[in-house]
């Protein structure tokens, strides 16, 4: 039984919404769903390969396995990726930095993701990037800047 299903998408941004589908695994084994997603890496084109690695990294991050998430993100080459996928990759790296308490790097990467997401435009990615910026500023005890960033999210 498949825990998620890849449907044809009109564009690469629509493929990014797969993460939402796999994210709800209540009552099911999330590691089995993650294994299915990793199996798909062998049959994808480079942009979709990068997007799937982002999705896998996000799921590892949710499960608290930051080293596995970091490994998947390290496999992504940003050069030559479409801006919408590059924004997702930068966002995933920023989020991981936030969870590993590297707030300055999280802010730096999330600002890059935010800029790209606004250009694409991808409001969901932009909102998530602003939230990561806010959380990272909060880690640095910069509460006013955190509040401003979270308000944008």
């Amino acid at each position: 039984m498949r825990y998620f299903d890849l449907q044809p998408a009109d564009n690469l941004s629509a493929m990014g919404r797969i993460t939402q589908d796999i994210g709800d695994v209540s009552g099911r084994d999330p590691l089995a769903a993650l294994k299915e997603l990793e199996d798909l890496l062998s049959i994808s084109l480079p942009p979709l390969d990068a997007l799937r690695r982002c999705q896998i990294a996000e799921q590892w991050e949710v499960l608290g396995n930051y080293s596995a998430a970091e490994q998947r993100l390290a496999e992504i080459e940003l050069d030559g990726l479409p801006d919408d996928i590059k924004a997702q990759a930068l966002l995933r790296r920023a989020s991981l930095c936030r969870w590993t308490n590297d707030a300055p790097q999280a802010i730096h990467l999330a600002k890059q993701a935010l800029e790209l997401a606004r250009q694409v435009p991808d409001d969901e990615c932009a909102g998530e990037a602003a939230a990561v910026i806010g959380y990272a500023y909060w880690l640095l005890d910069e509460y006013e800047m955190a509040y401003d960033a979270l308000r944008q999210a």
Side-chain angles (χ1 to χ4, degrees), residues 39-142:
D39 289 345
L40 291 173
L41 287 175
S42 63
I43 59 169
S44 65
L45 301 171
L48 294 180
D49 179 67
L51 185 60
R52 288 191 179 123
R53 290 181 195 283
C54 286
Q55 293 164 342
I56 291 167
E58 182 177 15
Q59 295 308 309
W60 280 124
E61 182 182 311
V62 167
L63 294 170
N65 189 337
Y66 303 133
S67 62
E70 187 174 17
Q71 179 184 356
R72 284 298 178 202
L73 292 173
E75 297 169 349
I76 298 172
E77 178 59 48
L78 294 177
D79 292 336
L81 286 178
D83 285 346
D84 57 343
I85 295 177
K86 187 182 290 187
Q88 288 292 325
L90 289 167
L91 174 62
R92 294 279 42 95
R93 289 177 178 174
S95 181
L96 186 61
C97 287
R98 172 192 59 158
W99 285 112
T100 58
N101 295 321
D102 186 356
Q105 184 68 359
I107 293 166
H108 174 73
L109 293 169
K111 283 183 176 181
Q112 290 179 355
L114 180 61
E115 182 180 327
L116 281 175
R118 286 180 175 161
Q119 290 173 9
V120 172
D122 183 343
D123 292 340
E124 186 176 333
C125 181
E128 288 181 49
V132 169
I133 293 168
Y135 295 136
Y137 276 126
W138 178 77
L139 287 173
L140 296 173
D141 297 329
E142 296 285 344

